[in-house]
Amino acid sequence: MDTTQTIRLRLRFYKDVAANTDELRQKFEAFAAQKSEDFRVKICENHIWMFVSGTKKQYWSPHLHLELEPKEDHTHIRGLFGPDQTLWTLFMFLHFIVAGIFTVFGAMLYSNLSLHQPYNFDLLVMFLMVVVWFLLYFIARQIRFNGTGQMDELEALFLKIIE
């Protein structure tokens, strides 16, 4: 998967495997039982999460979520790379704060325009919120770039397990 050419922050992939869902889940359970030093696997029904752990784990370390979908003669796997849940929650919190400030000052701008009052400060704050949105996006891109090597490792481990 080419992790540098897409604009999406959370990379997705799809794969069809000839084995059935139970066989694949057993392979992941066998790997989880080995207690790898660098990777951790969590399994819940048809959902599998693979994490970087131990000394390799950084704040920008990604995780891989796999969803196993049984089909007639094969299993369809949906894969989704994402950042650490704590980091993702922080970014969502920051986005909601920025959106809230933008909305409040947008309402104040409209009110000041209607009342023929000065509105320069409202425009300035709204412009700064747009700048912060772009800044958050580029920070997220940099974090994804830092985790690209570990994404490739998780993908290689995933392919090794399902063989």
Side-chain angles (χ1 to χ4, degrees):
M1 172 185 348
D2 189 8
T3 56
T4 59
Q5 296 301 322
T6 179
I7 198 165
R8 297 160 85 178
L9 291 175
R10 298 183 72 195
L11 300 173
R12 301 173 190 276
F13 66 89
Y14 306 97
K15 185 164 185 68
D16 291 320
V17 179
N20 69 28
T21 306
D22 293 328
E23 291 172 9
L24 288 174
R25 191 173 39 244
Q26 287 173 358
K27 288 180 180 182
F28 282 100
E29 288 170 355
F31 177 81
Q34 293 175 2
K35 301 291 184 194
S36 171
E37 225 176 83
D38 297 330
F39 299 100
R40 187 170 48 97
V41 175
K42 182 177 155 186
I43 302 167
C44 181
E45 295 182 9
N46 287 349
H47 295 269
I48 299 166
W49 290 269
M50 299 175 70
F51 302 92
V52 176
S53 64
T55 58
K56 291 179 116 180
K57 183 166 175 53
Q58 301 291 327
Y59 74 91
W60 40 260
S61 292
H63 75 275
L64 174 58
H65 173 236
L66 302 168
E67 183 179 355
L68 307 177
E69 292 182 10
K71 299 291 182 183
E72 293 175 7
D73 58 344
H74 66 281
T75 300
H76 182 71
I77 300 174
R78 295 172 183 254
L80 174 65
F81 287 101
D84 183 65
Q85 288 87 351
T86 307
L87 186 63
W88 183 255
T89 303
L90 172 67
F91 266 82
M92 289 295 100
F93 175 74
L94 292 174
H95 278 283
F96 285 125
I97 293 295
V98 169
I101 292 171
F102 185 86
T103 303
V104 166
F105 277 89
M108 289 171 54
L109 173 71
Y110 176 75
S111 177
N112 287 335
L113 277 171
S114 298
L115 297 172
H116 303 291
Q117 297 290 323
Y119 54 86
N120 293 338
F121 182 70
D122 303 330
L123 276 175
L124 175 67
V125 171
M126 290 178 69
F127 175 74
L128 288 176
M129 291 304 106
V130 171
V131 170
V132 170
W133 264 324
F134 280 107
L135 183 65
L136 286 173
Y137 174 76
F138 288 114
I139 290 171
R141 290 281 300 197
Q142 183 61 42
I143 288 171
R144 186 180 88 179
F145 177 76
N146 290 346
T148 300
Q150 289 182 339
M151 274 193 266
D152 293 337
E153 289 178 32
L154 282 171
E155 184 178 21
L157 179 64
F158 157 69
L159 293 173
K160 179 182 159 190
I161 291 173
I162 65 171
E163 285 179 348

